[in-house]
Amino acid sequence: MKKTIALILSLVMALGLLAGCGGKDQGGSDGDVKKVDKLNVYFVPSREPSEIITVTEPLKALLKDEMLKQGYDIGEVVINVGTTYEAVGEALSAGTADVGLIPGGTYVLYDDGCDVILTATRDGLSKDFDAAKDWNDGKPTEPSDAQAVSYRALMIAGPSPKGQELLKKVNAGEELTWEDLNSANWSVMGSSSPAGYIYPALWLQDHYNKGIVDLAHAVQSDSYASAFARLASGQVDVLMTYADARRDYADRWNSEFNREASIWDETGVIGVTKPVYNDTVSVSKTSPIMDADMIAALQEAFINIGNTPEGQEVIAIYSHKGYQKAEPANYDGERAAQKMIQELSAAK
């Protein structure tokens, strides 16, 4: 009888272990899945906020599905667009944002409160020249097959008389003087924007030993859309932006900004920066839900999303093609840039 009872108990225990193993493999048992009530994801306003909210709506379901595969049951994914780049950095530092899709410059400015976990990859471009006039062949800048982890920032002159005056000099192979630049009206972005502020500031420092703060006529735009609208209307003569921005605004140049000729005919490059390391996916250091396991899960989730057609459609709003794991040291160039900006501002 004792042997029979022992045998029955052994069988029951064995069946229990098998059942437990089966549940773990499928990731479906409550013991294997960590429940998270809410995941707050923030975007910077490099495009119009309403457009970002609309385009990224599918990301909520995609993230929930991918995180479940990584062992996290997310109750709700909330997507917000910050009023400024800095507002998103502050939200990450405060822990009100768990995840932020932010430029490298914003990450570096707020790296006391957030960690970089991923770098975005982008389509390479058909043009990637050091000399400004080499960009001005009248042909659109097109994507290439190669994926790139960096991009250029450009100073683009518009159709205003001053903008065309500067462009004519550049295309003739003449060097622009500081007086040339200082006599123009400029559109710049927030001080943590790599393409809209930081790297153009480095360009000015390298070429003229001057900074953006030294420009006599510079206005801050709240988005690249408003910057291009100002360029089209002649309110500004030059803007600072990322290398493929004209592709993003080519249609609106005519339909919304009321220009008759194409953006490629009416604008041109007068300055080209050094390569800028791509945007980041960064996470809050103070978020109560963030730990090493959550970070690893988010890395896999975003990488997987970037490998699907549905995911690529969502992240295309930032010209992202996918993601790869990042290291803080990747952004040491940004740290040097931020240091220079701070020194210039303090001196001013």
Side-chain angles (χ1 to χ4, degrees):
M1 178 63 71
K2 289 181 180 180
K3 290 182 179 180
T4 301
I5 292 174
L7 180 60
I8 292 172
L9 288 173
S10 298
L11 288 170
V12 169
M13 290 176 65
L15 288 171
L17 287 171
L18 287 171
C21 290
K24 187 173 182 179
D25 288 342
Q26 296 169 21
S29 69
D30 290 340
D32 298 325
V33 177
K34 299 178 182 178
K35 295 185 181 296
V36 175
D37 291 336
K38 185 185 295 185
L39 182 70
N40 290 300
V41 180
Y42 275 63
F43 289 83
V44 294
S46 60
R47 302 285 284 268
E48 296 206 22
S50 59
E51 181 185 5
I52 294 172
I53 290 293
T54 299
V55 173
T56 60
E57 176 67 24
L59 182 62
K60 296 177 181 179
L62 292 171
L63 259 178
K64 289 181 69 172
D65 290 345
E66 287 296 335
M67 288 297 286
L68 189 59
K69 295 176 184 177
Q70 305 304 319
Y72 284 85
D73 182 4
I74 309 296
E76 180 184 13
V77 174
V78 178
I79 292 178
N80 295 284
V81 180
T83 54
T84 63
Y85 289 50
E86 292 78 11
V88 179
E90 290 167 4
L92 285 165
S93 295
T96 53
D98 303 307
V99 180
L101 280 80
I102 58 177
T106 309
Y107 154 64
V108 167
L109 192 61
Y110 292 93
D111 64 357
D112 285 344
C114 65
D115 287 315
V116 61
I117 64 169
L118 295 166
T119 297
T121 62
R122 295 170 176 255
D123 282 328
L125 295 176
S126 57
K127 300 176 186 179
D128 186 20
F129 306 112
D130 292 322
K133 71 175 184 177
D134 292 340
W135 293 72
N136 300 328
D137 58 2
K139 299 177 182 178
T141 303
E142 302 289 355
S144 69
D145 293 334
Q147 292 297 295
V149 294
S150 64
Y151 63 97
R152 303 278 190 159
L154 304 178
M155 275 60 72
I156 295 176
S160 69
K162 175 58 71 172
Q164 291 299 299
E165 174 190 323
L166 299 179
L167 186 57
K168 184 178 180 180
K169 289 189 69 172
V170 167
N171 288 340
E174 299 178 39
E175 291 288 336
L176 295 176
T177 66
W178 173 250
E179 288 70 26
D180 289 329
L181 300 182
N182 203 36
S183 63
N185 294 314
W186 289 75
S187 169
V188 304
M189 299 299 288
S191 61
S192 69
S193 170
Y197 194 100
I198 296 171
Y199 276 74
L202 284 172
W203 181 82
L204 290 172
Q205 177 71 13
D206 290 343
H207 287 79
Y208 304 97
N209 198 30
K210 300 284 187 178
I212 288 176
V213 294
D214 296 308
L215 289 169
H217 312 288
V219 296
Q220 183 175 327
S221 296
D222 59 2
S223 69
Y224 285 119
S226 63
F228 273 97
R230 285 172 168 165
L231 191 71
S233 69
Q235 294 178 43
V236 298
D237 307 306
V238 186
L239 60 74
M240 302 172 176
T241 190
Y242 54 98
D244 51 343
R246 286 183 292 176
R247 293 183 62 241
D248 291 338
Y249 292 97
D251 291 339
R252 295 174 68 179
W253 186 256
N254 305 117
S255 64
E256 186 176 330
F257 305 152
N258 300 316
R259 301 299 305 184
E260 293 185 3
S262 79
I263 197 171
W264 307 105
D265 292 330
E266 293 199 293
T267 68
V269 178
I270 64 169
V272 183
T273 73
K274 296 176 181 178
V276 185
Y277 215 77
N278 282 349
D279 293 344
T280 79
V281 177
S282 295
V283 297
S284 172
K285 290 182 178 180
T286 57
S287 165
I289 66 171
M290 203 60 60
D291 58 19
D293 290 339
M294 171 67 89
I295 288 172
L298 285 167
Q299 286 176 318
E300 293 302 319
F302 272 98
I303 289 171
N304 292 342
I305 287 170
N307 288 332
T308 66
E310 297 84 2
Q312 289 183 5
E313 188 173 346
V314 171
I315 64 178
I317 192 168
Y318 284 132
S319 301
H320 297 177
K321 290 292 289 186
Y323 300 98
Q324 65 181 30
K325 293 180 181 180
E327 295 293 337
N330 294 344
Y331 292 88
D332 284 347
E334 294 284 353
R335 291 183 175 86
Q338 288 286 354
K339 182 180 179 182
M340 185 213 71
I341 297 298
Q342 291 167 7
E343 290 173 350
L344 287 174
S345 297
K348 189 70 175 180

